[in-house]
Amino acid sequence: MGMIKQTMMATVSILGMTLAGAALAGPVTDNDLLNDATTPASVLTNGLGLQGHRYSPLKQIDVATVKNLVPAWSLSFGGEKQRGQEAQALVHDGMVFITASYSRIFAADAKTGDKIWEYDARLPEGIMPCCDVINRGPAIYGDKVFFSTLDAQIVALDAKTGKVAWHKAIDDFKAGYSNSAAPLIVPTKANGALIITGVSGGEFGVVGRVEARNVDTGELVWSRPVLEGLTGTYQGKDTTMTGKAGETWSGDMYKTGGGATWLGGTYDPDTKLVFFGTGNPAPWNSWLRPGDNKWTASRIAINPENGELVWGFQTTPHDGWDYDGVNEFIPFDMMKDGKTVKAGGTADRNGFFYVLDRTNGKFISAMPFVSKISWAKGIDANGRPIYNDAFRPGDPAKSEDGKKGTEVFAVPSFLGGKNQMPIAYSDQTKLFYVPSNEWGMDIHNEPVVYKKGAAYLGAGFNIKPIFDDHIGSLKAIDPVAQKVVWEYKNKAPLWGGVLTTAGGLVFTGTPEGYLKAFDAKNGKELWKFNVGTGIVAPPIAWEQDGEEMIGVAAGWGGAVPLWGGEVAKSFKGIDQGGSYWVFKLAPHSAAN
């Protein structure tokens, strides 16, 4: 095994392997990305399609045969670098590409699991990721794979060898910037294929933005800040301002106002819009920043041709609980009053599931998808929360010592009704499958001032469960009827994403180490397998030499062990790990 030195103090290890059963599909094209949802021989996008449905048309593994699912292979990420593994893999040309903790990426033979190459970004001292040293997956286009790193870089690698093609700095990690989301690649008429990324670091007062780069060179094409009063760029020149300066922010608070775009985005070929969620306003202490604080805690739509903001919808105006708005926005079509509506669904950290018109961001409906929500009494006809002021943390300036405001118990907790774990939408059942958590928090506010590279919260908190028998809750949601169709309860918090298939199945993982399969119609558990460590990543499905394969990364970690308070103490015995597991039907069992 030869070791080749790369830039960025990185290394790539290359193993001389011959691919078993490689399809030799060639470079990834615009059409390949646009058709990813319907071509199961490959997985080319985070979300199994640019719209992010996480629905596979494969049905060899179904409600009858899933009982015969067995391990096909497992790849170890090796060494002592375990921690949380939150990545979704990609599959192309007989190879599986999967990122791992500490900003690493692996390529493996899709049939055998043999490692082909490994790239290690060799992170510098002083990085400041808020929520573990995770990565959520790569992107692929042409002959390159791309991924972001915890020191706020984006790297392009040769897909066959892992050698660096280019790398660019997104921002200064010493100021609190980082990056962990899977990049989004979108075809455009004006600039060809663009690789689109956000930024992480909302707990350090970074300012959220969405940026697009040339896939061949990494050169910046456009940038769109998400906060009112800041100006975008296109081809190196200033363009339009986001919103209107001073409309929902006081003074210059917006300059360190948060809104990190840390979870990545989706793209809708019908409307030709890119959708991103935006994170919490900074600081958490809402008394220091009067106003709605747009466009934090929002969903935004951007024209990928030029980076112009098309619409925004704010789920939690004047957020005082770190409810963010960063969760994925999934385009889907629904029938309303006998007409097809181009809609989009999103399960917010604040505990409500929203349906919006994806062409203009207009509110259609909202429903609570977790229990005992206390911060709001409901959502009004315009989509705005009806606040329950008794459950907003008190102003520390009005306390006796001026250091700690009145503490409240707010539901859900700041880790949300749903956090980073992606939802799925079944084109078959027309249901969303939402991995959620039932918990609340004691939270109070404190004084805080901004300091570059320092935590910018102004809050103290402790997460607690609200039920004795479970925290995790996988729910099937009907977005038209606005109701929960079925629910699976899990003792530990759910932190892995969801896959649904034409075989009538829903797959998800648990911290207890199980990959589980459920009947998509009624939630009946049909199969499980323990991988020996917690699962906090989304599964995928692909076809390999006529066989349906199910793959998932395994390795306990993420935000829950670090920020989970009393909940984290309850599950501190879960073993860490670092591996990728692939399953298929046992021989001669497909028809059993």
Side-chain angles (χ1 to χ4, degrees):
M1 180 169 61
M3 298 295 291
I4 302 174
K5 280 286 186 180
Q6 296 290 354
T7 55
M8 294 177 63
M9 293 299 291
T11 60
V12 57
S13 305
I14 305 174
L15 296 171
M17 293 288 181
T18 301
L19 296 180
L24 297 177
V28 175
T29 66
D30 290 356
N31 283 337
D32 291 335
L33 295 182
L34 292 169
N35 294 319
D36 187 39
T38 57
T39 51
S42 59
V43 177
L44 304 177
T45 57
N46 192 283
L48 285 74
L50 290 168
Q51 290 184 320
H53 284 196
R54 299 186 180 275
Y55 171 81
S56 171
L58 292 172
K59 52 187 178 181
Q60 184 183 77
I61 302 170
D62 61 19
V63 293
T65 62
V66 68
K67 64 185 179 183
N68 299 314
L69 210 55
V70 295
W73 55 261
S74 179
L75 170 72
S76 172
F77 298 148
E80 297 178 356
K81 293 183 175 181
Q82 296 183 345
R83 304 285 289 271
Q85 312 295 342
E86 294 185 358
Q88 181 217 292
L90 302 180
V91 182
H92 177 64
D93 236 0
M95 301 171 72
V96 172
F97 302 94
I98 180 69
T99 59
S101 55
Y102 293 94
S103 300
R104 295 172 293 157
I105 182 171
F106 296 78
D109 187 303
K111 187 171 184 178
T112 67
D114 291 334
K115 185 169 72 172
I116 298 168
W117 56 257
E118 172 187 354
Y119 174 87
D120 186 338
R122 300 286 292 273
L123 297 167
E125 296 292 331
I127 60 170
M128 292 180 280
C130 86
C131 305
D132 206 358
V133 288
I134 58 92
N135 189 280
R136 296 191 175 92
I140 188 168
Y141 187 82
D143 59 358
K144 301 179 184 67
V145 291
F146 310 81
F147 82 117
S148 57
T149 65
L150 290 172
D151 57 343
Q153 307 258 343
I154 185 166
V155 186
L157 306 169
D158 184 290
K160 296 295 185 185
T161 67
K163 294 181 179 180
V164 174
W166 56 259
H167 66 83
K168 297 290 182 181
I170 296 172
D171 216 305
D172 181 9
F173 72 89
K174 295 179 182 178
Y177 284 90
S178 61
N179 210 284
S180 57
L184 174 68
I185 296 179
V186 172
T188 69
K189 291 182 179 179
N191 297 287
L194 298 178
I195 183 164
I196 301 177
T197 58
V199 296
S200 304
E203 275 60 60
F204 298 94
V206 310
V207 173
R209 65 182 189 268
V210 180
E211 293 185 331
R213 298 176 183 273
N214 181 289
V215 292
D216 294 321
T217 66
E219 294 302 315
L220 187 65
V221 175
W222 56 255
S223 180
R224 171 54 51 188
V226 306
L227 301 187
E228 283 183 343
L230 299 175
T231 300
T233 65
Y234 178 72
Q235 300 288 14
K237 297 181 180 179
D238 287 349
T239 55
T240 58
M241 180 179 289
T242 300
K244 182 179 179 182
E247 188 171 55
T248 66
W249 286 89
S250 176
D252 61 358
M253 290 293 293
Y254 70 95
K255 293 181 179 179
T256 53
T261 45
W262 57 264
L263 196 55
T266 54
Y267 172 70
D268 177 35
D270 289 343
T271 59
K272 294 181 169 54
L273 294 175
V274 167
F275 304 109
F276 266 72
T278 68
N280 59 280
W284 289 18
N285 182 346
S286 63
W287 301 99
L288 297 176
R289 43 172 175 78
D292 282 357
N293 312 134
K294 291 182 178 177
W295 287 102
T296 65
S298 302
R299 307 303 186 279
I300 58 173
I302 296 173
N303 182 350
E305 297 289 337
N306 53 23
E308 290 298 303
L309 184 67
V310 177
W311 59 256
F313 178 87
Q314 194 169 38
T315 49
T316 313
H318 198 216
D319 179 11
W321 306 267
D322 187 38
Y323 284 153
D324 274 27
V326 78
N327 287 352
E328 68 276 21
F329 182 79
I330 307 302
F332 74 105
D333 292 342
M334 60 181 276
M335 296 300 296
K336 183 179 181 183
D337 301 326
K339 297 180 180 179
T340 300
V341 176
K342 292 186 182 298
T346 186
D348 200 81
R349 288 259 287 270
N350 70 18
F352 290 92
F353 186 92
Y354 295 79
V355 177
L356 308 178
D357 185 322
R358 71 179 186 265
T359 67
N360 55 25
K362 298 295 184 183
F363 175 74
I364 294 176
S365 63
M367 61 168 278
F369 68 93
V370 293
S371 305
K372 301 184 180 182
I373 294 173
S374 65
W375 70 276
K377 300 174 183 178
I379 306 297
D380 71 16
N382 297 313
R384 189 175 179 88
I386 304 167
Y387 292 104
N388 190 338
D389 291 335
F391 291 92
R392 181 180 292 271
D395 184 355
K398 296 180 180 179
S399 65
E400 290 186 10
D401 61 3
K403 295 180 179 180
K404 181 179 178 179
T406 302
E407 185 172 82
V408 300
F409 185 73
V411 179
S413 79
F414 72 89
L415 289 181
K418 190 197 86 73
N419 200 280
Q420 64 86 28
M421 51 281 194
I423 64 178
Y425 176 77
S426 172
D427 299 347
Q428 185 180 71
T429 65
K430 310 301 181 185
L431 300 177
F432 279 94
Y433 300 96
V434 179
S436 67
N437 289 303
E438 306 280 1
W439 46 19
M441 62 179 171
D442 293 322
I443 182 170
H444 67 268
N445 284 162
E446 305 165 349
V448 68
V449 294
Y450 175 76
K451 181 180 179 181
K452 180 180 177 180
Y456 189 41
L457 302 183
F461 42 81
N462 184 27
I463 296 178
K464 299 177 180 178
I466 59 174
F467 296 113
D468 292 333
D469 63 338
H470 74 286
I471 297 173
S473 170
L474 175 64
K475 298 181 176 77
I477 291 177
D478 184 331
V480 178
Q482 287 283 289
K483 68 177 184 179
V484 174
V485 176
W486 58 258
E487 176 184 11
Y488 159 75
K489 298 176 181 179
N490 196 73
K491 179 65 174 176
L494 292 179
W495 210 251
V498 181
L499 165 73
T500 185
T501 75
L505 297 171
V506 173
F507 290 88
T508 197
T510 73
E512 293 93 336
Y514 287 102
L515 179 63
K516 294 191 174 188
F518 303 88
D519 188 312
K521 293 181 179 179
N522 57 32
K524 181 181 178 182
E525 184 178 313
L526 301 174
W527 172 88
K528 65 180 180 180
F529 183 90
N530 197 300
V531 299
T533 180
I535 297 175
V536 292
I540 62 168
W542 79 94
E543 184 180 11
Q544 181 71 39
D545 298 333
E547 295 182 293
E548 182 177 351
M549 317 289 276
I550 304 294
V552 68
W556 172 240
V560 174
L562 299 176
W563 294 78
E566 291 186 15
V567 167
K569 295 176 184 177
S570 301
F571 300 100
K572 62 182 180 180
I574 298 175
D575 290 329
Q576 289 189 342
S579 56
Y580 197 77
W581 284 78
V582 173
F583 301 84
K584 65 178 182 179
L585 293 177
H588 312 298
S589 66
N592 291 345

